[in-house]
Amino acid sequence: MIADILSYISDGNWVELLEKYRSLGPFPGIFLTFMKSFIPPLPTIVLVGGNAAVYGFWLGFLYSWIGLVSGCAVTYLIVAKISGSRFAKRWTSKPKVQRGMRWARQNAFSYVFLLGILPVGPFVAVTVAAAAARMPFRSFLLACGMGKAIMVFMVSYIGYDLKRFMERPIELLYVVLFIVASLWVSKRIEKRFARADEAIDTTTVSLDSMK
């Protein structure tokens, strides 16, 4: 079923679906952006851009922002609640999540804020790491809300004026460059934190050998 949803949305039917259920008000636009936290493969750019195209720039921005941030908040609270369970321990034992937890402890606010700006990247892992590392919920919500606001604003601008991009396809180059730049920045941030993580590991080993 999830595969069918992803296929349907990725095939460009998201705007058509929103138009069909627009009588339900903001619920469709908020719901699927909310579900992004629980179904990571859902394409953020398509969902946010579609909301802006159907609801208008400001309402589309608001609905997308509410959905994304509330999804992250619920994910955080769930992970924080079950952090002592066997499943959570197995998940947090994964190397990528372990690195994320260390980054969150060292640079909590900037870590969540910077990765929240990017429309691509493993933000679910960021949320899990922040919760598992006991980052204060208020700080997480503030950093996530600010980062997502910037990202949603940029993507909504593209989605709202999609007709212009269709009439002048050359301007789609900006969209491609934005995605590529986001991926590049995401990787740079990940490498930066990874180097810091390796430095900490090296220092720990050195201190242990001196004992």
Side-chain angles (χ1 to χ4, degrees), residues 124-136:
V124 174
V126 173
T127 303
V128 171
R134 307 285 185 185
M135 178 181 179

Side-chain angles (χ1 to χ4, degrees), residues 4-107:
D4 292 338
I5 294 173
L6 291 172
S7 176
Y8 185 82
I9 293 174
S10 299
D11 287 343
N13 298 311
W14 174 230
V15 173
E16 179 184 334
L17 184 67
L18 283 177
E19 291 284 8
K20 183 177 179 180
Y21 293 101
R22 194 170 182 178
S23 60
L24 297 175
F27 177 75
I30 292 175
F31 178 71
L32 265 184
T33 47
F34 172 84
M35 290 304 296
K36 167 67 181 175
S37 291
F38 304 94
I39 311 176
L42 284 173
T44 303
I45 292 177
V46 174
L47 298 179
V48 174
N51 279 351
V54 172
Y55 295 108
F57 178 77
W58 288 111
L59 283 179
F61 164 82
L62 179 63
Y63 298 159
S64 295
W65 183 80
I66 290 173
L68 290 171
V69 175
S70 60
C72 293
V74 171
T75 302
Y76 176 101
L77 293 173
I78 290 173
V79 174
K81 185 72 173 178
I82 65 170
S83 59
S85 69
R86 184 183 304 173
F87 171 78
K89 288 179 179 178
R90 185 165 63 247
W91 172 262
T92 55
S93 67
K94 294 181 178 181
K96 194 166 188 177
V97 179
Q98 281 287 317
R99 288 199 302 271
M101 288 171 63
R102 291 187 183 182
W103 303 340
R105 290 191 186 105
Q106 297 162 28
N107 308 273

